[in-house]
């Protein structure tokens, strides 16, 4: 296969790189993408989540001139770190996973000066991404991707295009109120936003017996809307994240993690299910909400609460 000169230049420039080993030549697929498999070598000691050598693919799309680096399906990392997309498996035809590290944003761990110097030439740009990856894997392996004082990024999850959008509004005393209910659970009314298809607003929080305990202050259009759906809320001590930085992927993972916070998910579902079967105003599917205190900055003090579907 003929490899464009500009891409061959990348291979030539990395041939003697001390930390990059190309394992094959560039190849293109039916979608016009060019990809190059390589192995990146840590400059630090291997860890539980990072071996000394990990396999990757750098992918170049000529039409958009975009460059993305993905973990390889074989020999690549399978977990998700900070500053990385949710690292799920992609199409069976792809040799890489979908968890591309975020290399083109000015994360403190990657150096803002080097971010500002991103080159325009295609071969320079691809090499620049490879060098940024080396910085990223070192920071990931040593737990230094999240710098204290930087904005906190919630862990990424799988695509949720088929899920409803649910909005909530907070009050000044939310944190104190919900901390008083840690490990508790109950119900929440969801009002459908006027004119929207699958967008809702949380209006009234209820205890296990459906008695109102907290009302959200919305505008008239939402405040006067009748509940269209019901949600199940669980109040947690902290963000339900698994090491290194990903949401639980399965119900079993979620159940095991919540158990470490003192929540027996199976018991909650059993009691909630029994309650729903007794009701006469069942409004269909129940959406689960996990609420937890959260800080705006890494290492900061929580000032508000948020939730995850």
């Amino acid at each position: 296969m003929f490899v464009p000169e500009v891409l061959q230049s990348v291979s030539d420039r990395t041939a003697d790189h001390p930390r990059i080993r190309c394992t094959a030549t560039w190849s293109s697929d039916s979608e016009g993408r060019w990809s190059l498999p390589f192995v990146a070598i840590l400059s630090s000691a291997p860890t539980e989540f990072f071996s000394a050598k990990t396999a990757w693919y750098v992918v170049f799309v000529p039409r958009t001139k975009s460059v993305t680096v993905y973990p390889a399906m074989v020999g690549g990392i399978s977990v998700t770190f900070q500053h990385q997309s949710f690292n799920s498996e992609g199409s069976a035809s792809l040799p890489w996973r979908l968890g591309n590290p975020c290399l083109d944003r000015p994360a403190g761990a990657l150096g803002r000066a080097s971010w500002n110097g991103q080159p325009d030439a295609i071969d320079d740009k691809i090499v620049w991404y490879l060098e940024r990856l080396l910085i990223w894997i070192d920071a990931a392996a040593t737990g230094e991707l999240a710098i204290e004082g930087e904005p906190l990024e919630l862990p990424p999850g799988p695509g949720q295009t088929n899920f409803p959008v649910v909005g909530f509004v907070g009050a000044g005393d939310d944190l104190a109120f919900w901390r008083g209910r840690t490990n508790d659970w109950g119900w929440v009314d969801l009002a459908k936003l006027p004119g929207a298809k699958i967008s809702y607003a949380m209006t009234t929080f209820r205890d296990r017996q459906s008695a109102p305990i907290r009302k959200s202050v919305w505008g008239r259009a939402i405040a006067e809307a009748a509940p269209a759906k019901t949600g199940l809320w669980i109040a947690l001590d902290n963000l339900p994240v698994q090491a290194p930085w990903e949401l639980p992927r399965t119900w079993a993972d979620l159940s095991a993690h919540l158990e470490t916070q003192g929540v027996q998910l199976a018991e909650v579902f059993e009691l909630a299910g029994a309650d729903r079967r007794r009701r006469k105003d069942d409004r269909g599917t129940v959406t689960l909400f996990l609420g937890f205190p959260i800080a705006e900055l890494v290492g900061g003090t929580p000032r508000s609460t948020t939730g995850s579907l």
Side-chain angles (χ1 to χ4, degrees):
M1 176 183 292
F2 172 76
V3 177
E5 183 178 350
V6 68
L7 298 184
Q8 184 59 49
S9 171
V10 174
S11 300
D12 296 340
R13 291 170 61 178
T14 55
D16 297 321
H17 198 291
R19 297 183 57 195
I20 295 175
R21 299 283 188 272
C22 294
T23 56
T25 59
W26 286 93
S27 62
S28 63
D29 60 19
S30 59
E31 296 186 23
R33 296 175 295 200
W34 285 87
S35 61
L36 177 69
F38 66 96
V39 168
I41 301 172
L42 276 180
S43 67
S44 58
T47 67
E48 176 186 359
F49 299 113
F50 246 108
S51 58
K53 299 178 180 180
T54 49
W56 301 82
Y57 279 82
V58 58
V59 179
F60 173 66
V61 181
R63 181 176 57 83
T64 60
K65 295 183 172 56
S66 65
V67 179
T68 313
V69 182
Y70 297 100
M73 284 291 296
V74 178
I77 60 173
S78 58
V79 294
T80 306
F81 290 84
Q82 287 100 337
H83 303 304
Q84 181 184 8
S85 300
F86 186 67
N87 198 13
S88 60
E89 295 183 8
S91 166
S93 63
L94 292 178
W96 58 78
R97 304 178 69 90
L98 300 183
N100 58 297
C102 187
L103 305 177
D104 57 356
R105 293 177 59 190
L110 303 184
R112 296 177 186 274
S114 61
W115 177 78
N116 291 332
Q118 181 179 166
D120 294 324
I122 292 173
D123 53 346
D124 292 339
K125 183 176 182 179
I126 295 174
V127 172
W128 182 88
Y129 270 83
L130 296 180
E131 294 290 351
R132 291 274 290 188
L133 176 72
L134 296 178
I135 300 173
W136 186 91
I137 65 173
D138 286 346
T142 55
E144 297 176 350
L145 276 174
I147 305 299
E148 187 168 330
E150 286 194 332
L152 178 69
E153 293 184 5
L154 290 174
Q160 298 182 346
T161 55
N162 294 325
F163 285 76
V165 175
V166 181
F168 67 95
V169 60
D173 60 342
D174 268 355
L175 192 59
F177 175 83
W178 288 111
R179 275 182 166 165
R181 290 185 169 273
T182 297
N183 297 349
D184 196 6
W185 64 271
W187 305 99
V188 58
D189 295 340
L190 305 177
K192 193 172 185 300
L193 268 63
K197 290 183 178 180
I198 54 172
S199 297
Y200 301 85
M202 303 166 107
T203 54
T204 301
F205 288 89
R206 302 177 182 274
D207 62 19
R208 302 183 190 186
Q209 291 73 42
S210 295
I213 57 172
R214 190 82 167 170
K215 289 193 174 183
S216 300
V217 180
W218 292 99
R220 182 174 179 180
I222 295 176
E224 295 181 353
K229 290 175 65 69
T230 296
L232 174 68
W233 61 262
I234 302 177
L236 304 176
D237 283 326
N238 50 60
L239 180 67
V241 63
Q242 295 185 154
W245 192 249
E246 65 181 33
L247 297 174
R249 300 192 183 204
T250 66
W251 284 113
D253 288 343
L254 178 60
S255 181
H257 181 81
L258 294 189
E259 190 171 350
T260 67
Q261 296 202 39
V263 176
Q264 302 296 323
L265 187 60
E267 180 180 324
V268 172
F269 283 172
E270 181 179 357
L271 296 173
D275 179 83
R276 293 289 290 177
R277 288 190 291 273
R278 289 193 297 267
R279 289 189 181 203
K280 296 181 179 180
D281 62 340
D282 192 324
R283 291 189 288 269
T285 304
V286 175
T287 302
L288 174 63
F289 295 90
L290 304 178
F292 42 86
I294 192 170
E296 292 184 6
L297 304 177
V298 175
T301 301
R303 297 181 182 276
S304 61
T305 57
T306 188
S308 175
L309 288 177

PDB file of all heavy atoms in Angstrom, residues 65-77:
ATOM      1  N   LYS A  65      -8.074  16.635   8.792  1.00  0.00           N
ATOM      2  CA  LYS A  65      -6.714  16.834   9.318  1.00  0.00           C
ATOM      3  C   LYS A  65      -6.640  16.620  10.832  1.00  0.00           C
ATOM      4  O   LYS A  65      -5.811  17.209  11.528  1.00  0.00           O
ATOM      5  CB  LYS A  65      -6.176  18.224   8.950  1.00  0.00           C
ATOM      6  CG  LYS A  65      -5.972  18.430   7.456  1.00  0.00           C
ATOM      7  CD  LYS A  65      -5.364  19.793   7.171  1.00  0.00           C
ATOM      8  CE  LYS A  65      -4.976  19.937   5.694  1.00  0.00           C
ATOM      9  NZ  LYS A  65      -6.089  19.698   4.763  1.00  0.00           N
ATOM     10  N   SER A  66      -7.544  15.774  11.339  1.00  0.00           N
ATOM     11  CA  SER A  66      -7.579  15.506  12.771  1.00  0.00           C
ATOM     12  C   SER A  66      -6.636  14.363  13.139  1.00  0.00           C
ATOM     13  O   SER A  66      -6.428  13.430  12.362  1.00  0.00           O
ATOM     14  CB  SER A  66      -9.002  15.162  13.220  1.00  0.00           C
ATOM     15  OG  SER A  66      -9.431  13.955  12.625  1.00  0.00           O
ATOM     16  N   VAL A  67      -6.081  14.446  14.325  1.00  0.00           N
ATOM     17  CA  VAL A  67      -5.184  13.420  14.856  1.00  0.00           C
ATOM     18  C   VAL A  67      -5.736  12.952  16.196  1.00  0.00           C
ATOM     19  O   VAL A  67      -6.051  13.771  17.067  1.00  0.00           O
ATOM     20  CB  VAL A  67      -3.755  13.962  15.051  1.00  0.00           C
ATOM     21  CG1 VAL A  67      -2.839  12.881  15.627  1.00  0.00           C
ATOM     22  CG2 VAL A  67      -3.199  14.490  13.737  1.00  0.00           C
ATOM     23  N   THR A  68      -5.870  11.634  16.369  1.00  0.00           N
ATOM     24  CA  THR A  68      -6.362  11.064  17.617  1.00  0.00           C
ATOM     25  C   THR A  68      -5.534   9.836  17.957  1.00  0.00           C
ATOM     26  O   THR A  68      -5.151   9.079  17.074  1.00  0.00           O
ATOM     27  CB  THR A  68      -7.843  10.651  17.497  1.00  0.00           C
ATOM     28  OG1 THR A  68      -8.592  11.709  16.901  1.00  0.00           O
ATOM     29  CG2 THR A  68      -8.431  10.343  18.873  1.00  0.00           C
ATOM     30  N   VAL A  69      -5.266   9.656  19.238  1.00  0.00           N
ATOM     31  CA  VAL A  69      -4.515   8.485  19.696  1.00  0.00           C
ATOM     32  C   VAL A  69      -5.438   7.611  20.537  1.00  0.00           C
ATOM     33  O   VAL A  69      -6.098   8.099  21.460  1.00  0.00           O
ATOM     34  CB  VAL A  69      -3.287   8.901  20.520  1.00  0.00           C
ATOM     35  CG1 VAL A  69      -2.489   7.664  20.950  1.00  0.00           C
ATOM     36  CG2 VAL A  69      -2.393   9.842  19.716  1.00  0.00           C
ATOM     37  N   TYR A  70      -5.508   6.318  20.211  1.00  0.00           N
ATOM     38  CA  TYR A  70      -6.383   5.380  20.899  1.00  0.00           C
ATOM     39  C   TYR A  70      -5.578   4.219  21.483  1.00  0.00           C
ATOM     40  O   TYR A  70      -4.592   3.775  20.881  1.00  0.00           O
ATOM     41  CB  TYR A  70      -7.411   4.791  19.931  1.00  0.00           C
ATOM     42  CG  TYR A  70      -8.380   5.776  19.325  1.00  0.00           C
ATOM     43  CD1 TYR A  70      -8.176   6.266  18.033  1.00  0.00           C
ATOM     44  CD2 TYR A  70      -9.501   6.203  20.027  1.00  0.00           C
ATOM     45  CE1 TYR A  70      -9.073   7.152  17.458  1.00  0.00           C
ATOM     46  CE2 TYR A  70     -10.401   7.088  19.462  1.00  0.00           C
ATOM     47  CZ  TYR A  70     -10.183   7.566  18.177  1.00  0.00           C
ATOM     48  OH  TYR A  70     -11.060   8.445  17.611  1.00  0.00           O
ATOM     49  N   PRO A  71      -6.028   3.657  22.618  1.00  0.00           N
ATOM     50  CA  PRO A  71      -5.396   2.436  23.130  1.00  0.00           C
ATOM     51  C   PRO A  71      -5.727   1.261  22.209  1.00  0.00           C
ATOM     52  O   PRO A  71      -6.847   1.150  21.698  1.00  0.00           O
ATOM     53  CB  PRO A  71      -6.045   2.235  24.497  1.00  0.00           C
ATOM     54  CG  PRO A  71      -6.747   3.514  24.812  1.00  0.00           C
ATOM     55  CD  PRO A  71      -7.091   4.132  23.502  1.00  0.00           C
ATOM     56  N   ALA A  72      -4.756   0.398  21.967  1.00  0.00           N
ATOM     57  CA  ALA A  72      -4.991  -0.773  21.126  1.00  0.00           C
ATOM     58  C   ALA A  72      -5.871  -1.778  21.868  1.00  0.00           C
ATOM     59  O   ALA A  72      -5.845  -1.874  23.100  1.00  0.00           O
ATOM     60  CB  ALA A  72      -3.666  -1.417  20.753  1.00  0.00           C
ATOM     61  N   MET A  73      -6.665  -2.526  21.109  1.00  0.00           N
ATOM     62  CA  MET A  73      -7.483  -3.576  21.703  1.00  0.00           C
ATOM     63  C   MET A  73      -6.606  -4.643  22.344  1.00  0.00           C
ATOM     64  O   MET A  73      -6.934  -5.198  23.388  1.00  0.00           O
ATOM     65  CB  MET A  73      -8.393  -4.206  20.646  1.00  0.00           C
ATOM     66  CG  MET A  73      -9.581  -3.352  20.267  1.00  0.00           C
ATOM     67  SD  MET A  73     -10.786  -3.226  21.622  1.00  0.00           S
ATOM     68  CE  MET A  73     -11.312  -4.933  21.750  1.00  0.00           C
ATOM     69  N   VAL A  74      -5.495  -4.951  21.708  1.00  0.00           N
ATOM     70  CA  VAL A  74      -4.560  -5.958  22.221  1.00  0.00           C
ATOM     71  C   VAL A  74      -3.318  -5.244  22.747  1.00  0.00           C
ATOM     72  O   VAL A  74      -2.596  -4.589  21.985  1.00  0.00           O
ATOM     73  CB  VAL A  74      -4.164  -6.960  21.125  1.00  0.00           C
ATOM     74  CG1 VAL A  74      -3.159  -7.976  21.670  1.00  0.00           C
ATOM     75  CG2 VAL A  74      -5.393  -7.666  20.564  1.00  0.00           C
ATOM     76  N   GLY A  75      -3.101  -5.335  24.042  1.00  0.00           N
ATOM     77  CA  GLY A  75      -1.917  -4.731  24.636  1.00  0.00           C
ATOM     78  C   GLY A  75      -2.093  -3.297  25.083  1.00  0.00           C
ATOM     79  O   GLY A  75      -1.158  -2.690  25.619  1.00  0.00           O
ATOM     80  N   GLY A  76      -3.290  -2.726  24.868  1.00  0.00           N
ATOM     81  CA  GLY A  76      -3.545  -1.351  25.291  1.00  0.00           C
ATOM     82  C   GLY A  76      -4.187  -1.311  26.663  1.00  0.00           C
ATOM     83  O   GLY A  76      -4.595  -2.336  27.210  1.00  0.00           O
ATOM     84  N   ILE A  77      -4.282  -0.117  27.242  1.00  0.00           N
ATOM     85  CA  ILE A  77      -4.956   0.017  28.535  1.00  0.00           C
ATOM     86  C   ILE A  77      -6.454  -0.179  28.337  1.00  0.00           C
ATOM     87  O   ILE A  77      -7.015   0.206  27.310  1.00  0.00           O
ATOM     88  CB  ILE A  77      -4.670   1.382  29.189  1.00  0.00           C
ATOM     89  CG1 ILE A  77      -5.155   2.531  28.292  1.00  0.00           C
ATOM     90  CG2 ILE A  77      -3.191   1.534  29.500  1.00  0.00           C
ATOM     91  CD1 ILE A  77      -5.060   3.901  28.950  1.00  0.00           C
TER      92      ILE A  77
END
